[in-house]
């Protein structure tokens, strides 16, 4: 079977079709980020597709910044998933936990900027067969604090979608 080597996914068997998920790693600001290359049932993973994925990942830092900007914009809309996520996770914080997660003493000090800064990118899903939803970035407030994730999606050109979602691992998108 023919193989190709990816900077982020290592050696990968190229296959004409068949659904599969290939784990990978990316380091951003010294923090490892899990990658998940998702190949659909009818998608073809060839060397050109893999090269495109590696090329697009060169721009992941800019995409992360754009996703954070989208989340910050959504915090101005009281009906957004970002506002609901923030309210749900911040309503019962006590001193030690608010300090640990946000670096402040009181939940009242958690403004929009501090909230967005506290979000940690935990995983990037890459869907080469879906150009309109090529990247899906999952942000959380930290392991041990919550397993629920804010999701921001972007197309293959890195344009972040205008809708941020909130999911629980028990109910993935």
């Amino acid at each position: 079977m023919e193989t190709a080597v990816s900077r982020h996914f290592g050696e990968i068997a190229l296959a004409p079709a068949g659904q599969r998920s290939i784990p990978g790693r990316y380091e951003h600001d010294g923090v490892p980020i899990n990658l998940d290359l998702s190949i659909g049932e009818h998608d073809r993973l060839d060397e050109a597709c893999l090269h495109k994925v590696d090329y697009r990942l060169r721009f992941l830092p800019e995409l992360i910044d754009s996703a954070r900007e989208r989340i910050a914009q959504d915090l101005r809309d009281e009906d957004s998933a970002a506002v609901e996520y923030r309210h749900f996770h911040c309503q019962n914080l006590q001193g030690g936990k608010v300090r640990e997660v946000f670096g402040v003493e009181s939940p009242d000090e958690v403004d929009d900027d501090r909230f967005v800064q506290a979000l940690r990118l935990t995983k990037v899903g890459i869907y080469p067969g879906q150009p309109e939803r090529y990247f899906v970035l999952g942000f959380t407030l930290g392991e041990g604090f919550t397993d629920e994730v804010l999701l921001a999606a972007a197309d293959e050109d890195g344009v972040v979608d205008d809708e941020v979602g909130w999911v629980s691992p028990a109910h993935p998108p």
Side-chain angles (χ1 to χ4, degrees), residues 108-123:
D108 297 337
E109 296 176 75
V110 181
D111 61 8
D112 292 353
D113 290 338
R114 195 162 301 275
F115 175 78
V116 172
Q117 287 174 355
L119 291 171
R120 300 289 172 244
L121 179 64
T122 60
K123 189 174 190 179

Side-chain angles (χ1 to χ4, degrees), residues 127-141:
Y127 301 86
Q130 299 181 31
E132 71 287 345
R133 193 176 166 95
Y134 196 86
F135 292 104
V136 177
L137 289 79
F139 293 89
T140 185
L141 288 171

Side-chain angles (χ1 to χ4, degrees), residues 19-20 37-44 49 52-53 56 125-136 153-159 173:
Q19 186 170 346
R20 61 186 167 146
L37 179 60
S38 294
I39 308 302
E41 184 65 36
H42 303 288
D43 298 335
R44 176 173 171 73
C49 175
K52 181 178 177 181
V53 168
R56 298 278 186 214
I126 304 162
Y127 301 86
Q130 299 181 31
E132 71 287 345
R133 193 176 166 95
Y134 196 86
F135 292 104
V136 177
D155 65 17
E156 66 182 345
D157 295 323
V159 177

Side-chain angles (χ1 to χ4, degrees), residues 23-98:
R25 294 289 251 188
Y26 183 95
E27 191 167 305
H28 179 64
D29 291 338
V31 177
I33 306 296
N34 291 324
L35 301 175
D36 181 24
L37 179 60
S38 294
I39 308 302
E41 184 65 36
H42 303 288
D43 298 335
R44 176 173 171 73
L45 179 62
D46 57 20
E47 204 162 340
C49 175
L50 199 54
H51 175 71
K52 181 178 177 181
V53 168
D54 277 339
Y55 175 78
R56 298 278 186 214
L57 283 169
R58 291 177 50 207
F59 303 99
L60 188 58
E62 291 88 353
L63 181 59
I64 294 167
D65 291 342
S66 294
R68 287 179 179 282
E69 288 171 18
R70 174 79 250 167
I71 292 168
Q73 287 174 358
D74 279 12
L75 289 172
R76 294 189 288 259
D77 175 3
E78 285 301 315
D79 296 325
S80 73
V83 169
E84 290 177 19
Y85 182 93
R86 177 180 169 180
H87 177 73
F88 181 81
H89 289 92
C90 295
Q91 66 184 345
N92 295 317
L93 284 178
Q94 301 302 319
K97 201 53 141 172
V98 75

